[in-house]
Amino acid sequence: MSALLTVEDLRVRFPTRTGVVEAVRGVSFTLGRERLGIVGESGSGKSQTGRAIMGLTPPHADASAKQLAFDGIDLISAPPKLRRDLRGKRIAMILQDPKYSLNPVMSIGRQIVETLRRHERVSRAEARERALDMLAAVQIRDPARVFDLYPHEVSGGMGQRAMIAMMLVAGPELLIADEPTSALDVTVQLEVLSILDKLVAERGMGLIFVSHDLRLVSSFCDRVLVMYAGRIVEEIAASELANARHPYTQGLLNCMPVIGADRHPLPVLDRKPEWAL
Amino acid sequence: MTVTVSVENLSVVYDDFRALDAASVQVEAGESFGLVGESGSGKSTLLRAIAGLAPVSEGAIRVQGRELHGARRDKAFYRAVQMVFQDPYGSLHPRQTVDRQLVEPLAIHGIGDGERRILKALDEVGLGSGFRFRYPHQLSGGQRQRVAIARALILEPSILLLDEPTSALDASVQAEVLNLLEQVRRDRKLTFLMVSHDLGVVTHMCERLAVMQGGRVVERLTSADLVAGRIAEDYTRNLMVASKGFRRKSA
Ligand SMILES: Nc1ncnc2c1ncn2[C@@H]1O[C@H](COP(=O)(O)OP(=O)(O)OP(=O)(O)O)[C@@H](O)[C@H]1O
Ligand SMILES: Nc1ncnc2c1ncn2[C@@H]1O[C@H](COP(=O)(O)OP(=O)(O)OP(=O)(O)O)[C@@H](O)[C@H]1O
Ligand SMILES: [Mg+2]
Ligand SMILES: [Mg+2]
């Protein structure tokens, strides 16, 4: 499989008043035209890994890597203009906090239209059509109404789907989806996943799927990376997740509430300091 | 049993869109009641209406025997009822440290003993004191949600409105937060009204639940009924099927 993305020894550091926070500490992986899941504890560096690949690390922080390459393009030495052009067009990221990431003073529809027109020469009318189609594709029931709503006027799950529509409308080759379905009810969640699934299977898109939902990741992804304290502690075929070796991964599987199981309190992880070494 | 939160035939209309359409829910004191249903079906709107944050056009809301009118809620209301919002970024003040956001409710209600309460609240949600002076943008998604939960608990309310409280958390932290919520509910005899799209979480936390669709409550059942498949509505049944995970349609 030809690598679409190569990440080698990625590090992200934040200087703070109380010292340096090492959010990502030497992450390496390659991605083909496949579905790669990333799971891991809250705060383990999943989102910051995605942001660094996008070039969206906050300016006061420091991101470095031995290698960071997308489709043969060296992203580390790429000029800012090239990275901006790639972003949204060839590489897109669905951010974790849709309401925060959407522009609060622009209607949902206009944001999708503008994203499309930034990357493609299309007429206003055509852009509007495509934005409405995209909203319908992500199972928004009443696209024409939602098109004109502002972010604070949509529900959590609608905001999340608006963000997905905006990121898919320009047809990216690499999509980083950070908790893209965490606010969706299960039926809509599956519809959105099958859209992503089709893009991978039919258009050869590469997908990084960040999620804490192990049930989804094991049924949807090909491969899974497990992160803990800024590092990858385990890589495993998604179908083998149930046989994970790392105690963190095993613990994760065990502490999910399961329909029909009556376990009060739920088992919790006994985190060992050596996991974070 | 006494009903502590009663929502009767409640409607909320935006322009000419009915976000809630004569929805009724009765929550008994000390119970944990779940709301599930389609995205956009009005779950958050129902919680927000109770908190005075949505324009009610018809129906009645009663909390601890008092009927609430309009959007005004007094101090006593917020002392008794706290809400954890679905979108923690929106509910935390972007330019205030975690510490400030926890101090503020204590100051408003004239509660002393702040230092001890803040440390306890942070500890309960699994955030060390290292997070105390950070700003929201310096936290991960799950850490922000835990700050929001700490802020709701710090006033020791008797009713918690929880909107997807753990959907941003990984399974290990989710288990800790769910255990914490169950424990404070038992210790302080709290009442929960909780939205979650995760049926595993809802059936774990709640004895009874309501299923919503299109602004209406379409089915009320116990978790035991749901688990046993004693379901009346097709929509509820679809939710159960979808909960089993993703199935690739074979080509
Ligand atoms: N601006 C910042 N300053 C200091 N620390 C930061 C900053 N932004 C993020 N961090 C820290 O970096 C670590 C990694 O954050 P990240 O958002 O990548 O976590 P995550 O794995 O996505 O977690 P979650 O599942 O909760 O979203 C966290 O511990 C977080 O507190
Ligand atoms: N300020 C507003 N203006 C217009 N419409 C609104 C406003 N607030 C909410 N709505 C609409 O009300 C409906 C119900 O929204 P609500 O947030 O209650 O849904 P929900 O059941 O919580 O969904 P989710 O699971 O996606 O969070 C949505 O269609 C939404 O667009
Ligand atoms: Mg994150
Ligand atoms: Mg909601």
Side-chain angles (χ1 to χ4, degrees), chain B residues 159-224:
Chain B
I159 298 168
L160 272 185
L161 309 175
L162 300 160
D163 198 352
E164 303 276 8
T166 61
S167 73
L169 306 177
D170 78 285
S172 68
V173 178
Q174 167 169 284
E176 285 159 17
V177 170
L178 293 181
N179 287 346
L180 165 71
L181 288 172
E182 278 203 313
Q183 192 199 323
V184 293
R185 185 162 80 89
R186 213 173 325 117
D187 294 351
R188 303 185 200 156
K189 309 215 171 5
L190 293 191
T191 306
F192 289 171
L193 179 52
M194 173 169 179
V195 174
S196 172
H197 65 266
D198 185 331
L199 294 186
V201 170
V202 172
T203 51
H204 178 79
M205 294 293 289
C206 305
E207 295 94 38
R208 298 192 300 147
L209 55 127
V211 183
M212 294 188 65
Q213 200 180 15
R216 312 185 68 100
V217 172
V218 294
E219 182 163 10
R220 288 183 191 77
L221 68 177
T222 64
S223 287

Side-chain angles (χ1 to χ4, degrees), chain A residues 185-206:
Chain A
D185 64 278
V186 277
T187 52
V188 172
Q189 194 172 56
L190 296 189
E191 298 286 350
V192 169
L193 288 185
S194 40
I195 300 174
L196 299 180
D197 198 50
K198 252 210 217 128
L199 292 173
V200 176
E202 291 172 8
R203 285 228 332 264
M205 183 179 81

Side-chain angles (χ1 to χ4, degrees), chain A residues 73-147:
Chain A
I73 304 167
D74 176 9
L75 295 178
I76 298 172
S77 62
K81 161 120 180 41
L82 175 59
R83 287 206 90 171
R84 266 201 310 278
D85 289 347
L86 286 174
R87 198 152 56 220
K89 175 64 191 160
R90 298 189 62 196
I91 311 180
M93 180 164 176
I94 298 166
L95 294 163
Q96 188 172 3
D97 282 294
K99 290 234 173 124
Y100 176 66
S101 326
L102 292 167
N103 181 344
V105 295
M106 201 191 274
S107 73
I108 299 275
R110 215 172 124 212
Q111 296 190 49
I112 302 175
V113 163
E114 300 224 331
T115 309
L116 180 58
R117 282 169 55 94
R118 206 174 311 132
H119 298 289
E120 259 180 65
R121 269 175 216 286
V122 287
S123 69
R124 276 203 177 279
E126 190 194 335
R128 187 186 157 85
E129 270 318 296
R130 277 179 55 188
L132 285 169
D133 287 349
M134 208 63 233
L135 286 172
V138 293
Q139 307 292 310
I140 297 266
R141 285 216 165 188
D142 187 354
R145 179 177 77 92
V146 174
F147 189 95

